[in-house]
Amino acid sequence: MSRTRLAMCAEAFWSDSIVEQGDSVELVLTTGAAANGGSCVARHEGRVVFVRYALPGEVVRVRVTGDRGSYWHAEAIEVLEPSQDRVESLCAIAGVGKAGCCDLAFAAPEAARVLKGQVVANQLARLGDFAWEGLAEPLGDGAARGWRTRVRLAVNADGRAGFHRYHSADLVTDLHCGQLRDGLVDGLDGSRWKPGDQVHVVADDDGTRHVVCNNKQQRRGHRAEGEFDAVQRVGPRVWKVPVTGFWQSHRDAATTYSALVAGWAQDVAGATAWDLYGGAGLFAAVLADAVGDTGRVLTVDTSRAASAAARTALADLPGVEVLTDSVRRALATQREGADIAVLDPPRSGAGREIIDLLAQAGVPRVIHIGCEAASFSRDIGLYRGHGYAVEELRVFDSFPLTHHVECIAVLTR
């Protein structure tokens, strides 16, 4: 925010609760409800202020960090009256001016799950025209720390790996993030990496650590430890997934989501199933079991590496076809519809075009997964516009210490 703009704002609504500090404005605010994206909503003289590092009902001193005209962004630099749900940070490197890894590490885990449920409910009502109440369910044992088995680190000009500060190119090179499994990044600090590289670290289901480095010019990169592929297991099936590729980061997520899909994919023996944005084929395996030997499963993803992993892992399932293509092109070329579809799109969601194509294909049952509350809610609204009903909706605290959630819905028509 410019000095001129700040001076104008200060002059416009000067009060005891606003102070200019150099090139910044500080306010004392009482925070309201949690907003999507990790902030709480506060107001000053009619202006909305989105405050990071705060909980609802707190009185905080904030520093304004961004001016968007009708609203401001700010961060809580001092908590004057804390919420009873505030705890000592569960991540040593997160907070104001620190790493952006754990933006909700100061909230009691049980309270964080309630807040996340409230945020999802708000987004569903506003963007999906759908009423829902609930909380974010824990995964596995619900531990807030030590759940992450995959991480990607950036490397600075000094050759040190680290985490980005919030909305910054600067890195925090202390690697003691609360999310990480014990030992995941041991020995990876220090000036040993090539500036500009990314360091991908995976602790796989065989207990082996793999470290692969790459950059924008290198898809595969080079091994610093272990192998290029990590072993991932769900039930009796084994995947070898590129360390630089996608697999669920929470140690219990893949098993939990697979079990849910299996439970919802009932009475489809001999049917056709679509696994869209299918990655390495986690849900394709579940769908293949559901449709049986006489059914057909099409799994689609744009990543060649993910498709290769799917072909290897699912080679014993002749009814599974692995297609490397965009979901849009794949759906546009299907001559026949499907009896069930599973979608796990990126954070931006599936969007209107994809959901239109699913509806046009007459898919009667859809299992839709989303890792961003607003995008997920918009997609739910699009399904409802095509006559789909939400049969069941679950929200999971799949990313403890952060504001992120995983939402899964079953839609039928």
Side-chain angles (χ1 to χ4, degrees):
M1 184 184 297
S2 70
R3 169 72 172 178
T4 301
R5 173 63 175 158
L6 286 170
M8 291 172 61
C9 291
E11 184 178 354
F13 51 78
W14 190 269
S15 74
D16 290 341
S17 63
I18 182 166
V19 179
E20 264 194 293
Q21 299 286 346
D23 287 337
S24 65
V25 164
E26 293 183 5
L27 305 167
V28 174
L29 301 173
T30 299
T31 54
N36 189 39
S39 298
C40 284
V41 178
R43 294 182 182 274
H44 186 87
E45 300 291 335
R47 183 187 299 269
V48 172
V49 185
F50 292 101
V51 182
R52 291 181 63 81
Y53 307 113
L55 293 172
E58 293 189 321
V59 178
V60 292
R61 186 180 301 280
V62 309
R63 179 186 298 118
V64 177
T65 58
D67 179 8
R68 299 297 182 268
S70 61
Y71 62 92
W72 282 0
H73 288 291
E75 56 190 14
I77 57 175
E78 183 181 3
V79 180
L80 303 175
E81 295 181 20
S83 163
Q84 64 181 5
D85 295 324
R86 181 174 283 272
V87 298
E88 287 295 320
S89 180
L90 298 173
C91 178
I93 65 172
V96 178
K98 299 180 180 180
C101 53
C102 299
D103 60 356
L104 209 55
F106 53 87
E110 299 82 1
R113 291 195 283 269
V114 173
L115 284 180
K116 293 181 185 186
Q118 292 171 349
V119 169
V120 172
N122 176 267
Q123 294 298 298
L124 284 167
R126 290 180 57 247
L127 303 175
D129 191 26
F130 179 70
W132 175 86
E133 290 184 0
L135 50 74
E137 305 173 41
L139 281 182
D141 62 7
R145 294 170 51 89
W147 52 267
R148 180 176 284 277
T149 62
R150 307 174 74 90
V151 68
R152 182 179 62 190
L153 306 170
V155 179
N156 66 15
D158 297 327
R160 297 173 66 89
F163 298 92
H164 284 284
R165 301 184 195 277
Y166 178 67
H167 280 189
S168 173
D170 293 339
L171 299 184
V172 173
T173 55
D174 181 343
L175 302 182
H176 292 90
C177 172
Q179 300 176 27
L180 305 185
R181 171 178 168 172
D182 287 345
L184 184 63
V185 294
D186 285 358
L188 302 185
D189 52 357
S191 301
R192 56 176 293 191
W193 309 105
K194 182 179 177 181
D197 268 2
Q198 293 183 329
V199 181
H200 303 257
V201 190
V202 174
D204 72 11
D205 288 331
D206 281 352
T208 302
R209 185 174 79 168
H210 309 273
V211 182
V212 173
C213 305
N214 71 355
N215 54 46
K216 292 180 180 179
Q217 288 73 44
Q218 300 173 316
R219 289 186 179 180
R220 188 169 175 83
H222 64 276
R223 289 184 297 120
E225 182 180 327
E227 304 297 333
F228 282 111
D229 297 324
V231 174
Q232 308 291 172
R233 301 177 185 274
V234 177
R237 191 166 295 278
V238 178
W239 281 262
K240 289 190 176 181
V241 180
V243 172
T244 56
F246 174 79
W247 188 262
Q248 296 291 341
S249 57
H250 193 295
R251 62 191 176 208
D252 295 305
T255 298
T256 300
Y257 303 160
S258 291
L260 282 175
V261 171
W264 289 327
Q266 297 294 318
D267 304 320
V268 291
T272 295
W274 290 343
D275 175 29
L276 307 178
Y277 311 95
L282 173 67
F283 300 128
V286 175
L287 293 171
D289 287 342
V291 302
D293 294 339
T294 59
R296 172 178 175 261
V297 177
L298 173 67
T299 180
V300 183
D301 200 277
T302 57
S303 168
R304 293 180 180 179
S307 295
R311 289 187 183 96
T312 300
L314 309 178
D316 61 316
L317 301 173
V320 174
E321 177 187 356
V322 180
L323 179 62
T324 308
D325 205 346
S326 74
V327 170
R328 178 186 59 79
R329 283 193 298 266
L331 291 182
T333 58
Q334 294 302 303
R335 295 182 178 180
E336 297 181 359
D339 302 283
I340 185 172
V342 177
L343 287 80
D344 189 6
R347 288 180 55 79
S348 56
R352 182 176 301 277
E353 186 175 13
I354 299 302
I355 292 173
D356 285 352
L357 288 170
L358 284 171
Q360 291 167 16
V363 182
R365 189 186 314 177
V366 176
I367 301 171
H368 189 100
I369 303 167
C371 63
E372 204 286 317
S375 298
F376 175 82
S377 298
R378 290 188 192 98
D379 284 345
I380 293 297
L382 292 171
Y383 284 115
R384 285 167 51 78
H386 281 291
Y388 283 92
V390 180
E391 187 174 292
E392 188 169 354
L393 194 151
R394 306 275 294 273
V395 177
F396 290 94
D397 187 18
S398 304
F399 311 95
L401 305 185
T402 81
H403 73 272
H404 299 289
V405 293
E406 195 91 57
C407 305
I408 307 179
V410 184
L411 302 111
T412 57
R413 71 170 188 175

